[in-house]
Amino acid sequence: MSAQILDGRACAKQIKAELTEAVATLAESGVVPGLGTVLVGEDPGSKWYVAGKHRDCAEVGIHSIRHDLPESVSQDELLAVIDELNNDDACTGYIVQLPLPDHIDTDTILEAIDPAKDADGLHPTNLGRLVLNVNSEITTPLPCTPRGVIELMNRNGIELNGKHVVVIGRGVTVGRSIGALLTRREHNATVTLTHTGTRNLDELLAQADVIVAAAGAARIVKPESVKPGAIVLDVGVSRETDPETGKSKIVGDVDPGVAEVASWVSPNPGGVGPMTRALLLKNVVDTAQRSAAN
């Protein structure tokens, strides 16, 4: 029996419908959430992703602010744009699209973002607050992709309490932050963090109730390494050249054969990706709601 599909597009559509209502309610009080983006250079993938964020804003009624900068922009010029957004009352939250050019120090740029306007939820201050907070409500932005992974399971009725989650990938976007979310008492999962250098990866995968594959290593999760009935979320993205067409195509971290072993699988694309974009909007709306309540 093939696995059931964790349909990120359908869940994201539900979230955006809820956000449309929330934005309309805020508008009645004279509050309009605003999402800003900062894009440096002409990377096609980054341009496509940023354009999608602005389409999402238009769909739910969020004001959008766009800064597209040339590849040659200096670090000081980029910091000036960051400062402008930090002080722009129309901007509730914003993101700096990564990667940045080599001549710009990414850490310096990200740390210059006002933590209250950190739409990605990856500012060191916000990650630190997440790590410190096990029990009480979190009132700062949460990392979008980990939040999207959890929301995708929750909305499909998957209970995480007591489950063993094996995460592959140690990047800050997913691997280093998702454990702090999953082990909060509200979710109560047990998390093992692995990566491409883990020697007994297959052994650990075979123990997992849930696998979150976010290594960016094509097909690293094989069917023979997955426990029957496990839940598998494919988050990693890499590219391969199709030998028949010669064109580049997106490849996930999960081998397609896993669908014959697992109980649930998220597709890639169409799984966690749409959820990440929807949860970015939710971070902005959540921040606007908290500000309106104060």
Side-chain angles (χ1 to χ4, degrees):
M1 182 182 293
S2 293
Q4 296 182 79
I5 299 300
L6 290 164
D7 188 343
R9 291 191 178 100
C11 284
K13 185 176 180 179
Q14 292 174 4
I15 293 169
K16 286 193 278 189
E18 293 162 7
L19 292 176
T20 300
E21 291 185 14
V23 169
T25 300
L26 285 167
E28 292 172 2
S29 304
V31 177
V32 180
L35 172 66
T37 63
V38 180
L39 173 65
V40 178
E42 298 291 329
D43 177 76
S46 293
K47 289 175 70 175
W48 176 85
Y49 195 60
V50 166
K53 290 179 171 70
H54 289 279
R55 287 194 299 272
D56 291 339
C57 286
E59 187 177 339
V60 302
I62 294 175
H63 173 59
S64 63
I65 305 156
R66 185 165 182 166
H67 289 272
D68 290 0
L69 306 171
E71 183 91 12
S72 59
V73 68
S74 71
Q75 182 155 307
D76 286 344
E77 289 170 331
L78 180 52
L79 284 169
V81 172
I82 301 298
D83 189 56
E84 179 184 337
L85 288 168
N86 285 344
N87 292 288
D88 184 355
D89 291 338
C91 177
T92 309
Y94 67 96
I95 64 105
V96 177
Q97 183 66 33
L98 301 180
L100 293 170
D102 291 340
H103 68 277
I104 291 174
D105 183 75
T106 299
D107 289 345
T108 297
I109 298 302
L110 295 182
E111 289 179 21
I113 296 171
D114 179 349
K117 293 190 174 189
D118 168 32
D120 268 333
L122 296 175
H123 189 281
T125 297
N126 293 328
L127 288 176
R129 287 171 177 160
L130 169 59
V131 169
L132 290 171
N133 191 333
V134 177
N135 296 308
S136 57
E137 180 185 2
I138 294 180
T139 58
T140 51
L142 292 169
C144 297
T145 302
R147 197 179 182 189
V149 166
I150 294 169
E151 190 76 13
L152 184 56
M153 287 188 279
N154 285 345
R155 286 178 180 255
N156 282 278
I158 295 170
E159 173 63 56
L160 288 167
N161 183 20
K163 283 192 168 55
H164 181 197
V165 182
V166 174
V167 179
I168 315 174
R170 50 190 159 186
V172 68
T173 305
V174 182
R176 303 190 80 80
S177 52
I178 194 169
L181 267 175
L182 285 166
T183 54
R184 277 175 52 80
R185 208 169 299 276
E186 64 178 306
H187 303 302
N188 212 35
T190 297
V191 178
T192 299
L193 176 60
T194 69
H195 47 80
T196 53
T198 300
R199 293 182 179 179
N200 63 332
L201 179 59
D202 289 340
E203 177 186 335
L204 292 168
L205 290 176
Q207 300 171 19
D209 301 309
V210 179
I211 296 171
V212 178
R219 304 180 192 89
I220 193 171
V221 180
K222 306 291 187 187
E224 57 269 23
S225 302
V226 175
K227 180 170 68 174
I231 299 148
V232 183
L233 293 105
D234 192 353
V235 186
V237 174
S238 50
R239 287 189 172 272
E240 286 184 347
T241 300
D242 189 321
E244 295 183 3
T245 65
K247 295 181 179 179
S248 175
K249 64 176 182 179
I250 291 175
V251 181
D253 283 4
V254 177
D255 187 285
V258 167
E260 302 303 316
V261 182
S263 60
W264 292 88
V265 171
S266 73
N268 192 350
V272 176
M275 296 297 290
T276 297
R277 279 171 48 180
L279 270 298
L280 177 77
L281 300 181
K282 184 159 175 56
N283 271 347
V284 173
V285 174
D286 286 350
T287 299
Q289 289 174 324
R290 284 193 290 265
S291 296
N294 293 333

